[in-house]
Amino acid sequence: HKTSNNNNINKNMGTLSIDFGMINADNVEQLKKINQACFPVTYNASFYEDMAKKHDENLCKFAYWNGFAVGAICTRVEAIPDCPGRHRIYIMTLGVLAAYRNHGIGSKLVSSVLDHITSAQKEDGQLYTVDEIMLHVQTSNEDAMKFYGEKFGFERGELVENYYKRIDPPHCYILRKKRDEKDEMISGGGEDDVMQ
């Protein structure tokens, strides 16, 4: 759904000042609308039920501009196979509504998660066992690979064939960012936003 003034919005806004907010049962429908507008896949009801129950606004959150949800990031902590006791943050979704892209919102969402991981590892050790952050990116999504690689230092890993069931191409790459030698997840920054 596009409005006739989207181009005017994009040209006149520059970098936007945004606020973050928690995803919960009262607003999870906003997440569903953002995802429907941003992604070629449909997420099932259990995805949204899980997001409503997370209660961790540092790992799953909305980006608000002038009180309106214009983007969101959803991540989860998961075990790293073959590494007992070690974990990673998996980026399930990162989406910014089309009219609000290229204003630093996606970068701010990713940076806020990376910054949280670093501070939580230092302050209370809550995420001390997190060694990497990763996501899957469709092989045709060059913009997302460039966004994560150039802005945040993610490295393109292995090809996963037939990862996606209902979109073409069905293949994806795994993108990873490891903790650096100082045990930090360095956040990037910038103006460009893409959907994962």
Side-chain angles (χ1 to χ4, degrees):
H1 167 59
K2 291 186 177 182
T3 60
S4 60
N5 62 355
N6 280 353
N7 289 335
N8 293 334
I9 290 172
N10 279 330
K11 290 177 185 173
N12 296 326
M13 287 195 298
T15 300
L16 298 179
S17 176
I18 60 165
D19 295 309
F20 297 123
M22 179 185 284
I23 297 168
N24 58 42
D26 294 330
N27 62 19
V28 74
E29 282 299 314
Q30 291 178 1
L31 176 64
K32 189 173 187 178
K33 292 198 180 308
I34 289 171
N35 286 352
Q36 288 171 337
C38 292
F39 303 117
V41 296
T42 302
Y43 292 89
N44 60 33
S46 65
F47 172 85
Y48 295 104
E49 290 166 9
D50 290 347
M51 292 306 98
K53 293 176 189 171
K54 275 202 173 281
H55 303 298
D56 188 344
E57 66 183 293
N58 294 304
L59 295 176
C60 296
K61 64 183 80 176
F62 286 114
Y64 288 98
W65 179 70
N66 281 352
F68 294 100
V70 297
I73 189 168
C74 297
T75 70
R76 68 176 178 240
V77 178
E78 59 184 30
I80 298 176
D82 302 323
C83 293
R86 305 312 297 173
H87 297 87
R88 66 179 161 223
I89 300 293
Y90 179 73
I91 299 176
M92 297 178 284
T93 62
L94 169 65
V96 176
L97 295 175
Y100 299 90
R101 291 185 192 145
N102 299 310
H103 299 289
I105 296 170
S107 294
K108 288 177 183 178
L109 283 163
V110 173
S111 290
S112 72
V113 170
L114 294 177
D115 291 345
H116 170 67
I117 295 167
T118 298
S119 67
Q121 288 172 331
K122 288 180 179 177
E123 290 173 11
D124 61 12
Q126 174 190 6
L127 296 176
Y128 185 75
T129 62
V130 170
D131 293 332
E132 68 180 13
I133 185 165
M134 73 163 277
L135 67 149
H136 292 88
V137 175
Q138 190 177 18
T139 55
S140 60
N141 195 342
E142 292 292 330
D143 289 340
M145 286 186 263
K146 183 177 176 183
F147 171 79
Y148 285 103
E150 290 181 7
K151 295 195 177 306
F152 299 101
F154 280 73
E155 295 181 3
R156 187 167 82 182
E158 59 271 25
L159 172 71
V160 180
E161 293 187 357
N162 300 311
Y163 179 78
Y164 298 107
K165 304 296 183 227
R166 294 181 208 50
I167 58 174
D168 191 45
H171 315 305
C172 73
Y173 288 110
I174 292 177
L175 300 185
R176 283 190 179 87
K177 178 178 181 58
K178 303 271 189 190
R179 275 185 16 198
D180 72 4
E181 5 358 286
K182 296 181 229 163
D183 287 335
E184 293 181 354
M185 294 282 181
I186 305 298
S187 63
E191 300 294 318
D192 298 325
D193 297 309
V194 295
M195 44 182 207
Q196 168 204 329

